Amino acid sequence: MAYESYSRDYDDALDDGLDRQQQQQQEPSYDPSFVPDAVKTFVVFLYRHIREKNVYEIHQMYEGSFQKLSERMFKESPWPSVEAIAPYVDNDHVFCLLYKEMWYRHLYARLQPTLKQRFESWDNYCSLFQVILHGVVNMQLPNQWLWDMIDEFIYQFQSFCQYRAKLRTKTDQELSLLRQYDEVWNVYGVLNYLQALVEKSMIIQILEEEKDGSLTFTATDGYDYNGGSNVLKVLGYFSIVGLLRVHCLLGDYYSGLKCLAPIDVNQPGVYNSVIGSHITTIYYYGFANLMLRRYVEAIKAFNQVLLYIIKTKQFHQKSPQFDQILKKNEQMYALLAICLSLCPQVKLVEENVNNQLREKYGEKMIRMQRSDETMYDELFSYACPKFITPAAPSYEEPLVNYNQDAYRLQLKLFLSEVRQQQLLSGVRSFLKLYTSISIEKLANFMDVDESTLRATLMTYKHKTHAIDHDGKIMTNADVDFYIVEDVVHIIESKSTKRYADHFMRHIIK
């Protein structure tokens, strides 16, 4: 009952503060030391709820009130400075670090951060993670907030790498600062913090013990109902996803998937508890598999999350992440279109997802299957992550922009793979027509000599097989074969008919 009372008190105080704020004359310039009544109320109640570990109320204020205040009072300006609000929260060091984390996130979302502010945000993350790693943090925070911390930390790193690589527009002062503070947003620093959170939280051991049934982590969504803290454990868990994302941005897909190995994406997990985490995990997992030629794994992953979005999209329309959900949704349909053009395993895709896919990319998929490279280029460029070059550019050379270099390299590698796959489309179409055929006859049909055909068939075997994360060979082929005494014997995979979808549609009708 006390929590409900606090909630009503806070809502009343917030509405009063907003009303008073709108009655006052708006100052044309931003004053960081001025704290409106609504903000005073917000920080006081948020601080109180954090001390009481009232996760429900913290989540309501973080997801609801913070967005509401940002929209109505700080649409084009930052929130009041941390120094201005500190007296209202007993100058609590950890709360001030959390407030600054939200302050910089709002700044990045609404405004353009200066180079100095990029540096300061890095310092704040370092301080916050140091406290969590080496201090005693006795808090329970919502999973949404903890996910947003990791998500924003990597986004700001990505943003800084892109910013630093655009040298053509830099002033002498900016170049001097970039040279001087070369450790800020350093790739090793980012990876070290994420790895440290994974190790210190012992999350890998926790997930192993959970498989044995001796611990419950996923069942409680990572929350500690025995008076402890969920902060380090859940940050460690989300850092596993963060490591996958950073390695994908660097083009190291194998290491990314290796980092994600403790989380089984085919089973429900804490990553499902936050929609942004769920989508990010599957997007990067699917993309990494696509780039490693594990098309079947990528198709299954994209199908799973796209079906989830179809079923739950209406529940997230008021969420601040809704635009991001829609964007990633469209990108994953584009990646699924690429996967199915390179590996036509449509039977792996649910009917609802397939219908949406045909509606969005039906014509483009036909063109990709006809070896139209421009379509692969277009969809890859739209759907791929914003790759980064982690090393600092040379500031001495003629100043040019390097921010597209990493993307161009990944596009070049991808299109090279596409060209190799296109050579095999003729083989696949002939194999589909037969259950067995002699090599001599197939060579005549394809208008090549027998030695060239044997080499092409070996290439087909190579390109339709990949090594999974356990080191086992997996096949992507919808049509496979073996050769006995110069005769090619074809094995075509049989698709299992799904009756459930058919009955469900007719029941609804």
Side-chain angles (χ1 to χ4, degrees):
M1 289 302 292
Y3 289 157
E4 290 177 17
S5 171
Y6 285 155
S7 181
R8 283 196 297 272
D9 292 347
Y10 170 69
D11 290 340
D12 293 343
L14 177 62
D15 291 339
D16 291 346
L18 281 170
D19 291 342
R20 280 198 297 276
Q21 182 66 17
Q22 287 172 343
Q23 287 163 10
Q24 295 169 356
Q25 286 293 320
Q26 290 286 327
E27 289 292 326
S29 60
Y30 167 66
D31 179 4
S33 61
F34 173 65
V35 184
D37 290 341
V39 174
K40 286 179 197 171
T41 307
F42 173 80
V43 296
V44 166
F45 277 87
L46 182 60
Y47 177 54
R48 181 192 292 178
H49 292 317
I50 288 175
R51 289 186 65 185
E52 292 167 349
K53 297 185 181 178
N54 186 351
V55 176
Y56 175 78
E57 288 297 343
I58 298 167
H59 186 265
Q60 294 301 312
M61 295 189 71
Y62 174 77
E63 276 283 273
S65 309
F66 183 70
Q67 302 300 331
K68 186 177 175 183
L69 286 167
S70 296
E71 187 64 34
R72 291 175 68 174
M73 297 173 65
F74 304 107
K75 207 167 186 175
E76 295 176 358
S77 68
W79 274 60
S81 69
V82 69
E83 293 79 13
I85 65 98
Y88 303 108
V89 294
D90 303 332
N91 291 295
D92 186 282
H93 178 59
V94 176
F95 182 88
C96 287
L97 290 173
L98 291 171
Y99 177 83
K100 279 166 77 175
E101 194 271 333
M102 293 196 296
W103 192 95
Y104 285 113
R105 180 138 34 92
H106 171 262
L107 181 79
Y108 270 80
R110 301 269 179 175
L111 306 158
Q112 189 66 32
T114 64
L115 182 55
K116 184 169 177 282
Q117 286 167 334
R118 290 175 190 271
F119 290 168
E120 289 168 350
S121 183
W122 164 256
D123 287 339
N124 187 65
Y125 272 116
C126 291
S127 301
L128 181 58
F129 290 153
Q130 289 288 352
V131 167
I132 291 166
L133 286 166
H134 305 297
V136 179
V137 178
N138 191 22
M139 296 185 295
Q140 289 254 47
L141 293 181
N143 285 351
Q144 179 70 58
W145 193 347
L146 296 171
W147 163 253
D148 286 345
M149 276 185 209
I150 298 296
D151 184 53
E152 185 70 14
F153 178 60
I154 297 168
Y155 167 73
Q156 290 187 20
F157 163 63
Q158 184 182 4
S159 172
F160 181 80
C161 290
Q162 295 280 350
Y163 165 86
R164 182 179 57 189
K166 295 177 184 175
L167 293 178
R168 200 176 291 165
T169 55
K170 296 284 181 286
T171 63
D172 291 340
Q173 184 187 6
E174 285 174 320
L175 291 171
S176 172
L177 284 169
L178 286 169
R179 283 192 199 96
Q180 187 179 349
Y181 298 102
D182 58 345
E183 293 300 311
V184 173
W185 290 114
N186 179 289
V187 65
Y188 296 116
V190 171
L191 288 170
N192 284 343
Y193 272 120
L194 294 172
Q195 190 62 43
L197 287 165
V198 172
E199 290 174 6
K200 181 81 180 197
S201 65
M202 299 181 71
I203 188 63
I204 294 174
Q205 293 90 320
I206 289 170
L207 292 172
E208 283 296 321
E209 287 178 34
E210 187 177 45
K211 287 177 188 172
D212 303 335
S214 54
L215 261 181
T216 54
F217 179 76
T218 304
T220 61
D221 282 339
Y223 292 111
D224 190 322
Y225 292 112
N226 299 316
S229 170
N230 71 327
V231 173
L232 181 58
K233 283 187 291 188
V234 177
L235 278 178
Y237 182 93
F238 287 140
S239 293
I240 293 174
V241 179
L243 285 166
L244 163 70
R245 180 175 167 188
V246 173
H247 283 301
C248 284
L249 295 176
L250 300 173
D252 185 357
Y253 308 108
Y254 178 79
S255 295
L257 291 176
K258 197 173 176 184
C259 289
L260 189 71
I263 298 175
D264 185 354
V265 295
N266 298 312
Q267 297 293 329
V270 174
Y271 75 94
N272 294 122
S273 66
V274 178
I275 181 75
S277 157
H278 188 177
I279 289 172
T280 299
T281 303
I282 302 300
Y283 169 79
Y284 285 100
Y285 173 79
F287 186 81
N289 277 302
L290 163 62
M291 295 300 279
L292 292 172
R293 296 205 328 270
R294 301 173 185 171
Y295 303 118
V296 168
E297 289 298 309
I299 290 167
K300 287 177 182 174
F302 290 136
N303 173 66
Q304 170 211 325
V305 77
L306 290 169
L307 189 64
Y308 173 79
I309 293 171
I310 288 171
K311 290 176 178 176
T312 62
K313 190 164 62 176
Q314 70 269 25
F315 303 123
H316 298 284
Q317 287 179 349
K318 293 183 179 178
S319 165
Q321 288 90 27
F322 188 63
D323 290 342
Q324 191 63 21
I325 292 168
L326 292 182
K327 183 184 176 186
K328 278 282 175 274
N329 184 56
E330 294 301 314
Q331 287 179 315
M332 285 190 287
Y333 272 111
L335 293 175
L336 182 58
I338 290 172
C339 289
L340 289 171
S341 299
L342 294 171
C343 172
Q345 298 255 28
V346 183
K347 65 180 183 294
L348 299 173
V349 181
E350 292 282 344
E351 191 167 355
N352 288 349
V353 175
N354 194 35
N355 290 341
Q356 293 264 348
L357 180 67
R358 299 294 161 187
E359 196 178 301
K360 293 172 189 290
Y361 292 111
E363 289 180 21
K364 291 182 178 179
M365 285 177 73
I366 292 167
R367 288 177 62 181
M368 284 192 286
Q369 283 156 8
R370 290 176 183 161
S371 306
D372 186 341
E373 197 175 292
T374 57
M375 281 296 103
Y376 283 106
D377 187 331
E378 180 188 318
L379 291 192
F380 182 86
S381 300
Y382 167 68
C384 71
K386 286 187 177 176
F387 299 106
I388 53 176
T389 305
S394 171
Y395 301 115
E396 307 305 327
E397 295 175 16
L399 298 179
V400 293
N401 290 347
Y402 297 96
N403 58 308
Q404 292 292 317
D405 285 8
Y407 152 71
R408 289 194 192 103
L409 175 61
Q410 295 300 320
L411 176 63
K412 181 181 173 185
L413 292 169
F414 171 71
L415 291 179
S416 168
E417 181 61 39
V418 166
R419 287 182 206 109
Q420 293 172 43
Q421 293 278 353
Q422 285 167 356
L423 296 172
L424 307 175
S425 59
V427 178
R428 183 188 282 117
S429 58
F430 277 113
L431 293 178
K432 278 191 165 186
L433 298 174
Y434 296 91
T435 54
S436 62
I437 183 172
S438 69
I439 284 187
E440 182 187 1
K441 190 175 179 183
L442 185 56
N444 288 334
F445 282 147
M446 294 187 66
D447 202 19
V448 294
D449 58 55
E450 288 188 30
S451 61
T452 305
L453 176 62
R454 285 179 185 276
T456 305
L457 290 172
M458 284 299 292
T459 307
Y460 180 88
K461 276 284 187 188
H462 169 63
K463 289 296 181 185
T464 55
H465 288 74
I467 297 172
D468 67 11
H469 61 273
D470 294 324
K472 296 175 184 172
I473 293 175
M474 55 185 286
T475 179
N476 295 312
D478 56 332
V479 180
D480 208 349
F481 66 90
Y482 59 93
I483 300 173
V484 179
E485 296 179 353
D486 291 342
V487 176
V488 182
H489 297 270
I490 291 89
I491 314 159
E492 187 163 5
S493 57
K494 297 280 190 293
S495 60
T496 54
K497 290 185 179 180
R498 289 196 182 114
Y499 299 107
D501 289 344
H502 174 81
F503 281 114
M504 286 298 288
R505 275 201 320 280
H506 284 278
I507 288 165
I508 290 163
K509 282 180 183 177

